[in-house]
Amino acid sequence: MGFAPLPEMEVAAVPADGFLLDVREDDEWAAGHAEDALHIPMGQIVARFGELTEALGDGGRVHVVCRVGGRSAQVTQYLVAQGLDAVNVDGGMLAWQAAGRPLVSGQTAAADGAFVL
């Protein structure tokens, strides 16, 4: 039995207006996240699947991110199996930060010294 390769995308290829799903834990999210990302921790994906599909709307692509890519890869596999167009963001939020993509922490924009857990 063969498996299809996991859909992945480099941070730089994620569109500025792309739908981003952050599956990190609450403390990681609070430390720094992409401003318009939807936050659903990995352990809550199944229970909150309806929230995700409602926020996604008419079948757009879901860019899934965690800290480095392990958890988001598992969630991406699950979402693809559910029929969604989902891709794992390679390198996660560490790569996002390293690429200079914008971050916020709490309700304010993260300063240059901000970090991602």
Side-chain angles (χ1 to χ4, degrees):
M1 178 174 166
F3 293 96
L6 179 69
E8 282 195 327
M9 175 180 288
E10 296 290 326
V11 167
V14 176
D17 62 348
F19 186 92
L20 194 67
L21 172 64
D22 191 325
V23 299
R24 296 175 301 150
E25 296 301 320
D26 292 338
D27 59 332
E28 295 172 292
W29 168 265
H33 57 272
E35 184 171 16
D36 294 325
L38 174 64
H39 178 229
I40 303 177
M42 179 179 166
Q44 299 175 19
I45 289 293
V46 174
R48 295 175 61 187
F49 186 75
E51 180 182 337
L52 169 60
T53 57
E54 184 178 316
L56 183 58
D58 291 332
R61 173 170 276 181
V62 181
H63 302 86
V64 188
V65 67
C66 65
R67 183 172 187 261
V68 295
R71 288 171 286 180
S72 56
Q74 293 176 58
V75 171
T76 299
Q77 287 179 322
Y78 172 77
L79 296 178
V80 168
Q82 303 310 307
L84 297 183
D85 178 9
V87 297
N88 185 42
V89 178
D90 189 38
M93 289 306 293
L94 290 181
W96 185 275
Q97 182 180 25
R101 301 290 298 256
L103 292 171
V104 295
S105 58
Q107 299 298 327
T108 59
D112 289 336
F115 63 94
V116 173
L117 288 177

